[in-house]
Amino acid sequence: LGWQIEGEIDLELALAFAVTHHGLFYMSFEKTLNYGEKWLIRREWTVTAPSEIKRITLVDLLFSFHPLGGLVMVSDLIYSFCHGRNLDFYAFLKSVATYRELVEKLLEKSGELQEFAEKGENRGDDALADILLLILGGIS
């Protein structure tokens, strides 16, 4: 969309987006006997580790960065979709002028994207249309 990011990027948050964008994993900051304090990648959200000091989950990021947080998940799926169908990802992005237009275009294709998600590795994107509507509701 031609946007420029200014300022510093929080490395912990950038890593958390990379780890959590499918909704399967989260980052857990723990104090361990052997390694001291460090970030670990965990999968079981309902399990608590006695050594855990804090965690960053996808839900934390979605709320903290709404509506942009959901775009990380959706962007990953769009790129995989374009790659799997030999479509030009950048042409897809250039076909819209605003963030709202992008989300609206994705909603039009949500059925096709959903089918792609169900057949591929992106099984965590089962509620794609709902995620897109949530993102759209946060855009003025």
Side-chain angles (χ1 to χ4, degrees):
L1 297 177
W3 295 350
Q4 296 295 319
I5 298 174
E6 296 179 9
E8 294 182 27
I9 295 175
D10 184 321
L11 184 59
E12 284 181 2
L13 293 177
L15 290 173
F17 269 116
V19 167
T20 67
H21 72 275
H22 285 285
L24 299 175
F25 301 97
Y26 67 93
M27 288 181 43
S28 175
F29 189 71
E30 299 179 21
K31 184 173 186 173
T32 65
L33 290 174
N34 296 330
Y35 304 108
E37 292 182 355
K38 67 183 303 177
W39 282 103
L40 300 171
I41 298 172
R42 300 273 189 202
R43 184 173 179 142
E44 300 297 326
W45 287 35
T46 57
V47 174
T48 56
S51 59
E52 184 173 84
I53 298 168
K54 68 177 180 176
R55 67 173 58 182
I56 302 175
T57 67
L58 176 62
V59 174
D60 297 323
L61 297 171
L62 291 176
F63 278 110
S64 297
F65 296 97
H66 183 71
L68 294 174
L71 191 59
V72 174
M73 293 172 69
V74 174
S75 297
D76 179 63
L77 179 59
I78 295 166
Y79 187 82
S80 297
F81 174 78
C82 289
H83 181 74
R85 293 201 168 39
N86 292 323
L87 302 173
D88 185 351
F89 174 72
Y90 298 102
F92 182 85
L93 288 181
K94 288 179 183 177
S95 69
V96 297
T98 65
Y99 185 49
R100 174 176 278 285
E101 219 178 294
L102 173 65
V103 176
E104 287 172 347
K105 184 172 185 172
L106 291 173
L107 272 169
E108 291 172 13
K109 290 190 163 288
S110 65
E112 194 176 349
L113 285 164
Q114 184 69 43
E115 181 182 326
F116 176 79
E118 289 170 2
K119 289 181 181 173
E121 297 176 7
N122 293 316
R123 301 285 303 162
D125 298 315
D126 290 338
L128 179 64
D130 294 332
I131 293 167
L132 290 169
L133 286 169
L134 181 65
I135 293 169
L136 187 62
I139 302 172
S140 56

